[in-house]
Amino acid sequence: MKIAILGGDGFVGWPTSLHLSDKGHEVHIVDNLSRRWIDAELGVQSLTPMDSIQERTRIWKQETGNTINFHLIDIAEDYEVFKGWLADNRPDAIIHFAEQRAAPYSMKSDQHKNYTVNNNVNATHHLLNAMVELGLDAHLIHLGTMGVYGYSNVGAAIPEGYLAVDVDTLAGHKANQEILYPANPGSIYHMTKCLDQLLFQFYAKNDGMRITDLHQGIVWGTHTQQTLRHKQLINRFDYDGDYGTVLNRFLIQAAIGYPLTVHGTGGQTRAFIHIQDSVRCIELALKNPPIRGDRVKVFNQMTETHRVRDLAEMISRQTGAKVAYLPNPRKEAAENDLVVENKQFLELGLDPITLEEGLLGEVVDVAKAYAYRVDRSRVPAVSAWTKEIADEIEHDP
Ligand code: NAD
């Protein structure tokens, strides 16, 4: 297949590009390199040393003989250029990663809120709009997030995208229908992913587009089979307070002998998936496209859930690091349950890598191996969700 990977220079996009190229597909990365510019804006860099995208693709060609094409296009800003590229290349499938993906970054200031909304909503809408205009019947796979569901405490598992509800009809009986699970975003970033969902619903219904939306958990791990083939193919590892996930923060803290900083009570439950499994799931989704006229196909792309304090304790047990409790910069429930259905990918053959078996390797092979590159001042999470929370933290750091 000819596959366009929008955002293919990013943390999930790069190993996906290598994996699909390795499987013999013709891979085209479309990326505006904004993630690298954001590193420059924040004054941070990936823990792992990343080469330019041109150098990475050159090494891949040298190692495998396979070509990965790179196209520098901003899909949110340059609609006509992007449409022209789609018209010239007409991919069979399009995998859409090209969005600003950090919740803390999206909450940093009013400018960051505007940027995240403009970038993410325009990126998705430009893609859908151009595909319809060009009559392009490619399978569109979008990387969405578990964060669109919020974290409900009603004691029922979160289904894969759609909720069955009983409604009272005017005729006086009960009718059952499935609705898109009610959106409950916890940040501006997550809000854009909720808006994406509505765009997909409309375009699937109105134009018969074939769309798969993967509601992904927090991706952990760095290496995949393909990134390990050469040291210059290494994946990025974000550890700063905005882009580094809670797990990466813990891994770095364990590696440099700092206490693991848990925000609030640590009772927040999150969903996780290893990068190797994420890449496999995307391939499984690619092999199982919806049929034209189907509703948007939604998968919950996660393999396990953990409370943040249990995660800290797991890493503490494995490494001897201490755990410290700090005020929470986010506006969120102190404690939440998260039970998630994920049987679709398991039924398609996914055999997940677990945190318990893989974490120590991450600390030793990645966090400790590159600890000399850590800027310690960048590890704490500093972006607060509201001005009130920012004030509280300033007075009680
Ligand atoms: P990333 O920031 O590392 O990669 C995103 C890539 O998209 C970057 O290379 C960036 O330069 C590019 N991009 C952004 N806006 C663009 C635009 N307008 N035009 C062209 N390119 C653009 O993010 P990631 O961690 O690889 O995440 C990829 C996708 O998966 C995101 O949509 C994210 O919401 C989703 N996701 C990620 C995680 C995770 O834990 N990393 C979890 C759930 C969902």
Side-chain angles (χ1 to χ4, degrees), residues 185-261:
S187 73
I188 293 287
Y189 154 67
H190 291 108
M191 186 187 77
T192 65
K193 292 288 187 178
C194 295
L195 297 172
D196 282 349
Q197 288 196 96
L198 287 183
L199 299 177
F200 296 140
Q201 291 291 321
F202 174 76
Y203 276 92
K205 182 184 72 173
N206 196 61
D207 300 286
M209 290 190 61
R210 297 183 296 127
I211 303 171
T212 299
D213 199 1
L214 304 175
H215 290 183
Q216 186 167 239
I218 296 173
V219 184
W220 67 280
T222 310
H223 303 309
T224 62
Q225 283 162 9
Q226 289 77 25
T227 64
L228 281 170
R229 284 167 86 147
H230 191 285
K231 65 180 183 345
Q232 283 176 273
L233 295 174
I234 198 163
N235 200 9
R236 69 178 303 139
F237 180 109
D238 296 308
Y239 68 89
D240 63 279
D242 283 320
Y243 276 84
T245 59
V246 56
L247 193 60
N248 282 10
R249 187 174 73 243
F250 289 165
L251 294 174
I252 284 297
Q253 289 168 328
I256 62 176
Y258 269 38
L260 312 178
T261 48

Side-chain angles (χ1 to χ4, degrees), residues 233-292:
L233 295 174
I234 198 163
N235 200 9
R236 69 178 303 139
F237 180 109
D238 296 308
Y239 68 89
D240 63 279
D242 283 320
Y243 276 84
T245 59
V246 56
L247 193 60
N248 282 10
R249 187 174 73 243
F250 289 165
L251 294 174
I252 284 297
Q253 289 168 328
I256 62 176
Y258 269 38
L260 312 178
T261 48
V262 172
H263 296 144
T265 64
Q268 311 92 327
T269 309
R270 296 284 187 266
F272 296 90
I273 182 166
H274 190 270
I275 183 72
Q276 181 73 68
D277 288 337
S278 172
V279 164
R280 285 200 190 109
C281 286
I282 292 164
E283 190 194 359
L284 287 171
L286 202 58
K287 285 181 174 160
N288 294 278
I291 299 164
R292 207 173 163 76

Side-chain angles (χ1 to χ4, degrees), residues 5-16 29-38 50 56 71-78 82 96-102 115 118-120 122-124 126 142-147 189-190 192-193 196 214-220 235-236 238 243 245 271-273 275 278 282 301:
I5 305 197
L6 315 178
D9 186 44
F11 167 60
V12 190
W14 174 242
T16 303
I29 290 177
V30 174
D31 200 302
N32 66 349
L33 307 185
S34 54
R35 183 66 195 82
R36 293 178 185 251
W37 283 103
I38 291 174
M50 276 168 70
R56 288 170 133 187
H71 312 271
L72 181 65
I73 301 174
D74 188 322
I75 68 166
E77 288 285 327
D78 303 328
F82 180 43
H96 174 27
F97 297 99
E99 295 182 83
Q100 190 301 99
R101 71 103 172 126
Y115 167 72
N118 292 339
N119 187 66
N120 294 4
N122 280 336
T124 301
H126 285 175
H142 171 250
L143 270 291
T145 163
M146 289 295 306
Y189 154 67
H190 291 108
T192 65
K193 292 288 187 178
D196 282 349
L214 304 175
H215 290 183
Q216 186 167 239
I218 296 173
V219 184
W220 67 280
N235 200 9
R236 69 178 303 139
D238 296 308
Y243 276 84
T245 59
F272 296 90
I273 182 166
I275 183 72
S278 172
I282 292 164
Q301 185 163 308

Side-chain angles (χ1 to χ4, degrees), residues 100 102-110 112-113 116 186-189 242 383-386:
Q100 190 301 99
Y105 184 85
S106 78
M107 302 300 286
K108 252 183 143 42
S109 72
D110 55 345
H112 292 89
K113 291 178 186 178
T116 302
S187 73
I188 293 287
Y189 154 67
D242 283 320
S383 299
W385 257 229
T386 66

Side-chain angles (χ1 to χ4, degrees), residues 168-183:
D168 294 320
T169 66
L170 294 174
H173 58 262
K174 294 262 184 218
N176 185 265
Q177 72 181 123
E178 285 204 322
I179 58 168
L180 191 64
Y181 196 90

